[in-house]
Amino acid sequence: MKPASIVYSIRPSHPEAHIFEVRCTLANADPSGQRFSLPAWIPGSYLIRDFVRHIVSIRAEAAGKPVRLDKIDKHSWQAMPTGKKRSALTVICEVYAWDLSVRGAHLDQTHAFFNGSSVFLRALGHEHLLCLVDIQRPLGKRYRDWRVATALASAEGEKGAADRHGFGVYRAANYAELIDHPVEMGGFTLATFSACGVPQEVVISGRHDCDLARLTADLTRLCEWQIRFFGEPAPMPHYLFLITAIGDGYGGLEHRASTALLCARDDLPYPGMQGTPERYRTFLGLCSHEYFHSWNIKRIRPAAFSACDLDAENYTTLLWAFEGFTSYYDDLALLRCGLIEPEEWLGLVARTIDKVLRDPGRKRQTLAESSFDAWTKFYRPDENTPNAVVSYYAKGALVALALDLRLRAGTRNRVSLDDVMRALWLRHGERAGYGGVGVGDDDIRLLAEELSGLDLAQFFAAAIHGTSELALAPLLKPFGIQMLRQNASTTPTLGAKISTDGREVRLATVYAGSPAQTAGLSAGDLLIAIDGLRVTPDSLERLLCRRQAGESIRIVAFRRDELMEFSLRLESPASDKHQLVVKEKRNVLREGWLGVMTSRDTASSSES
């Protein structure tokens, strides 16, 4: 092994107990006492997760002898000085892995998955060094057919270098790259395809009946559209979709050359499936979202993320652009590459409008605040979250739509959000390494104004730093699309979000200013009876549907173990169902916006 490197090894030592053994060997440890730390969070998921809580044991040794290791804070240790000369130091830890998500690590007798941020210690002061990682097979005959799936490169030229999908030694240019390549081990399903000459792999763990030919054909169209959207060549030499299929689940996390996805096995296409059912369309949208992140946040970054601090929160007011704009393009890409029809896409936009307008939090929190507070609010939801928080994903997507329409209408389709995204890529996108010029708070507005010649200061002030409603209807009208709004239900409402479990009906959220809140009801209250009749999941609608808005009802409920009674005046149902309808058969503006990929869409800008 080369001396100017850090050597890691990881082995599922006790799959039945969900334990990885992880070693970190530093050839030139700080003689005054080397420090090690485990990241507190994983880039792409903005919450302090304290992965250190899963370390079961930790020890250090040098030249085969124990070295004292003192814990100096919740996720850091310092080794005792080893002498005047720099010497090799190894830290060995056992990591408990039972987090079935895209963010951490999970291990049992069927498979192993991990993100580097949850298992690999960081040798402070040496983060820039080449990292070699020996991925080892679990012991035992039952694991002899296991393979490895990762976007990490094989450590060619090193002893024990891994073959493709094999156990052995892989390499990463530095620690930041090491933790940006999740790893799957097991007897997974593997499929391959190519997009614009870039090798792509799909790995599926868990039981499934996926039609791999259909999935790879659809992903080919999707990936090629995105690569051509930003301009060839693609920024990654290869790409990996790591999919874990379970009974019920949904989630994704972006990486530079891969994505970790969690889905229900019923979300995957099955042999003989006709059309694009909603569940599969949702899964394709998830794939599209994470693939688009290969550019928009992995290589075009907020300035605050240019040098990530893995020990603490990294605040930015721009998640509305990096997650919201990505949410706009994820389904739009499905339309542009021909996987869904315009009517389907308009229906998805209408759902997003409904979602944003349903929650009172949009009137209290701006998108800039939502982005900044992601660490403490968005990723820590509670029963009051709908009243206090606006989603930078959902409202951010609507802002992207509004900005796109404004740019197109104001320039007769000469400039669009597409041009802004490509200009961001050319000016801020980092093509190699982990550098690049970060995006500042005003850079997107200034860039859009420069390209279009429009004054967008008022738009950004209202949409990003204000809480007023987005005026989408007049923006859609020039494109021949009418936004209709109607009652989602004729049944009067309590003004609360309901949760059911078996025969129980509880209030999950009581909306601000609602009849339920005015009556004194609270989240967590268990509804027992309305006007003397028992409340069940089946009876609640029947008990309310014959009532009229303005009528008073008597509610009996348990709060904790106390029986309480409330008088509630019913309210008209919220007008929260929208529909986007095409009113003109031909519209040049709309065709330029929603049309399939054109030569202009893929043309490279002359900007350098």
Side-chain angles (χ1 to χ4, degrees):
M1 301 293 184
K2 296 180 180 179
S5 64
I6 301 178
V7 180
Y8 294 89
S9 70
I10 182 166
R11 178 172 64 89
S13 57
H14 299 285
E16 72 287 351
H18 323 301
I19 298 293
F20 284 107
E21 182 189 86
V22 187
R23 292 173 175 256
C24 172
T25 299
L26 179 61
N28 296 301
D30 185 343
S32 64
Q34 179 64 49
R35 290 191 176 193
F36 297 87
S37 181
L38 194 68
W41 63 287
I42 180 170
S45 184
Y46 309 109
L47 178 68
I48 297 298
R49 299 192 180 274
D50 290 330
F51 295 116
V52 69
R53 72 188 191 277
H54 298 307
I55 291 184
V56 176
S57 67
I58 186 169
R59 59 187 175 87
E61 61 182 37
K65 297 181 179 180
V67 173
R68 179 175 164 181
L69 199 61
D70 293 328
K71 197 167 188 178
I72 55 178
D73 60 36
K74 65 178 180 179
H75 52 218
S76 303
W77 296 262
Q78 181 166 346
M80 289 293 290
T82 56
K84 294 183 180 180
K85 294 182 179 180
R86 291 183 175 269
S87 59
L89 178 68
T90 298
V91 177
I92 306 101
C93 56
E94 290 185 314
V95 180
Y96 180 73
W98 197 236
D99 176 14
L100 187 58
S101 76
V102 297
R103 299 174 299 268
H106 188 265
L107 168 64
D108 63 15
Q109 299 94 319
T110 66
H111 88 127
F113 170 83
F114 65 84
N115 284 288
S117 53
S118 61
V119 295
F120 292 135
L121 292 171
R122 184 167 94 256
L124 302 187
H126 301 274
E127 294 92 339
H128 62 288
L129 293 182
L130 172 73
C131 297
L132 301 176
V133 53
D134 185 6
I135 301 176
Q136 300 176 5
R137 186 193 308 273
L139 300 178
K141 293 182 179 180
R142 68 183 303 168
Y143 306 110
R144 61 189 176 190
D145 294 328
W146 276 26
R147 295 183 291 175
V148 175
T150 181
L152 280 168
S154 173
E156 295 179 0
E158 298 286 348
K159 182 179 179 181
D163 295 327
R164 191 68 185 150
H165 303 120
F167 290 90
V169 182
Y170 292 80
R171 75 167 66 228
N174 48 45
Y175 185 81
E177 183 175 323
L178 175 69
I179 65 170
D180 209 3
H181 294 280
V183 174
E184 174 74 21
M185 308 180 215
F188 48 75
T189 301
L190 172 66
T192 62
F193 63 99
S194 176
C196 297
V198 178
Q200 316 273 321
E201 291 185 339
V202 175
V203 163
I204 306 177
S205 296
R207 297 182 182 181
H208 66 88
D209 61 350
C210 180
D211 182 344
L212 294 174
R214 170 70 186 273
L215 179 60
T216 54
D218 290 346
L219 288 178
T220 299
R221 297 174 70 173
L222 175 62
C223 295
E224 288 191 339
W225 184 87
Q226 292 197 20
I227 292 171
R228 289 168 179 157
F229 175 84
F230 284 102
E232 298 182 63
M236 72 291 279
H238 50 82
Y239 194 85
L240 171 64
F241 293 89
L242 280 178
I243 303 168
T244 300
I246 59 176
D248 187 25
Y250 179 84
L253 188 64
E254 69 275 4
H255 298 277
R256 289 175 64 83
S258 61
T259 178
L261 304 170
L262 186 70
C263 72
R265 58 180 58 91
D266 293 339
D267 295 343
L268 299 171
Y270 54 87
M273 185 181 76
Q274 299 297 311
T276 308
E278 181 177 355
R279 294 184 69 112
Y280 179 47
R281 184 181 63 200
T282 300
F283 175 74
L284 286 175
L286 177 63
C287 293
S288 180
H289 186 98
E290 305 306 337
Y291 202 76
F292 200 84
H293 271 320
S294 300
W295 293 267
N296 194 37
I297 207 159
K298 295 310 298 184
R299 292 173 174 85
I300 309 168
R301 287 195 199 74
F305 290 178
S306 293
C308 279
D309 180 356
L310 294 170
D311 295 328
E313 296 88 344
N314 290 231
Y315 295 104
T316 177
T317 62
L318 292 174
L319 292 181
W320 56 268
F322 290 93
E323 291 293 355
F325 282 19
T326 301
S327 295
Y328 173 62
Y329 277 103
D330 56 21
D331 287 330
L332 185 59
L334 301 184
L335 169 65
R336 294 264 191 91
C337 74
L339 290 175
I340 62 175
E341 297 298 321
E343 292 75 16
E344 292 179 89
W345 184 76
L346 291 173
L348 294 173
V349 174
R351 287 189 191 180
T352 303
I353 295 171
D354 293 345
K355 180 179 180 180
V356 172
L357 294 180
R358 187 164 50 240
D359 291 344
R362 74 188 189 280
K363 299 178 181 179
R364 297 192 173 191
Q365 187 185 53
T366 70
L367 276 180
E369 292 169 341
S370 177
S371 299
F372 194 87
D373 292 340
W375 300 88
T376 55
K377 290 188 176 182
F378 188 81
Y379 275 85
R380 292 186 182 276
D382 58 27
E383 67 282 349
N384 195 52
T385 292
N387 291 325
V389 171
V390 66
S391 169
Y392 52 75
Y393 284 89
K395 188 177 179 182
L398 295 185
V399 168
L401 166 64
L403 179 59
D404 199 2
L405 295 175
R406 189 179 178 93
L407 291 171
R408 289 178 182 275
T411 64
R412 298 297 297 176
N413 259 341
R414 179 180 59 83
V415 175
S416 71
L417 188 59
D418 297 355
D419 298 293
V420 175
M421 294 306 303
R422 284 190 283 264
L424 283 169
W425 173 235
L426 290 172
R427 295 190 188 185
H428 295 272
E430 151 262 311
R431 309 302 179 93
Y434 278 72
V437 180
V439 178
D441 286 355
D442 293 324
D443 285 348
I444 295 174
R445 174 182 63 82
L446 294 173
L447 185 54
E449 289 180 334
E450 175 191 331
L451 294 173
S452 67
L454 302 175
D455 183 354
L456 299 170
Q458 187 175 354
F459 172 85
F460 274 81
I464 307 304
H465 301 285
T467 57
S468 58
E469 306 288 14
L470 290 172
L472 291 175
L475 291 173
L476 288 162
K477 187 175 180 180
F479 295 82
I481 296 174
Q482 183 178 5
M483 187 169 78
L484 304 177
R485 187 173 182 177
Q486 61 188 30
N487 290 339
S489 170
T490 59
T491 301
T493 180
L494 304 176
K497 182 179 179 181
I498 303 297
S499 69
T500 60
D501 183 10
R503 302 290 290 173
E504 292 186 345
V505 177
R506 289 186 183 273
L507 302 185
T509 295
V510 173
Y511 293 117
S514 68
Q517 188 180 75
T518 301
L521 286 157
S522 298
D525 287 352
L526 174 64
L527 302 188
I528 302 300
I530 292 178
D531 287 340
L533 297 176
R534 182 183 179 189
V535 174
T536 69
D538 295 330
S539 71
L540 180 60
E541 173 74 13
R542 296 196 304 270
L543 292 171
L544 296 177
C545 69
R546 298 187 182 187
R547 305 285 185 164
Q548 299 295 319
E551 284 189 46
S552 292
I553 59 174
R554 184 169 55 90
I555 296 179
V556 176
F558 269 117
R559 179 172 300 168
R560 298 179 296 276
D561 60 348
E562 298 179 30
L563 193 64
M564 306 177 74
E565 187 172 324
F566 306 87
S567 177
L568 181 147
R569 185 177 294 274
L570 293 168
E571 186 177 79
S572 298
S575 300
D576 61 356
K577 186 173 180 61
H578 291 78
Q579 184 179 9
L580 301 184
V581 180
V582 176
K583 302 299 290 185
E584 299 176 14
K585 291 185 178 180
R586 288 296 305 275
N587 184 292
V588 175
L589 283 176
R590 186 177 70 248
E591 289 173 359
W593 168 41
L594 300 186
V596 295
M597 187 165 51
T598 66
S599 58
R600 193 186 77 84
D601 286 327
T602 58
S604 297
S605 169
S606 59
E607 182 182 359
S608 61

